[in-house]
Amino acid sequence: MELAVKTLEGGAAGSITLSDEIFGLDPRADLMHRVVRWQLAKRQAGTHKTKGRSEVAATGKKFVRQKGSGGARHGDRKVPQFRGGGRAFGPVVRDHSFDLPKKVRALGLKHALSAKAQASNIVILDDVKSADGKTKALKAQLGALGFANVLFIDGAEIDNNFRLAARNIPNVDVLPVQGINVYDILRRETLVLTKAAVSALEERFK
């Protein structure tokens, strides 16, 4: 697959051939779904917690006599049916993450890249740099290129001025190539790769 390479200013910068083993697969939604579920489960904090009846600070004394009150035969006030009592089957602190084979994760990333390529939503830039780090100038450049909802993937090092200029623009994400992931690729409409990112990806999946 051959794509034209552009500059951030909108000019032409040659062309590049993308590997069909990474960008030319027939996308499988089930694989991408598995990887996204794994990512989102892994990022859950799992710190939600409610107190059960054994953890509530209250007396355990039987507060009403067994017979003759006309009410139920209650033992103490910590049971869930009373205000201030413990919660029945409430959430506890736990780890939501689960294992996913490394090969499945790698394949999911390839299929996400292929899905963007198949939809013609991949753009290759020569590099992404900002001279002054000004958000206003970068926003104008992105508007001229037609980027409204975009993920930028650069090489191992991101230009600091570009990162600063982009961080306050809505629906624009910037990641180094080692941070590329299925969830961020799919949540943005356009995927922008630099030539350095393409080289790093092809080296990674070699």
Side-chain angles (χ1 to χ4, degrees), residues 34 47 88 103 125 135 140 164-165:
R34 285 179 67 184
T47 52
K103 288 183 178 179
L125 293 184
T135 299
L164 292 173

Side-chain angles (χ1 to χ4, degrees), residues 106-117:
L107 198 57
L109 181 56
K110 287 182 183 180
H111 279 261
L113 292 168
S114 297
K116 287 295 182 186

Side-chain angles (χ1 to χ4, degrees), residues 111-123:
H111 279 261
L113 292 168
S114 297
K116 287 295 182 186
Q118 192 179 82
S120 300
N121 285 333
I122 279 188
V123 177

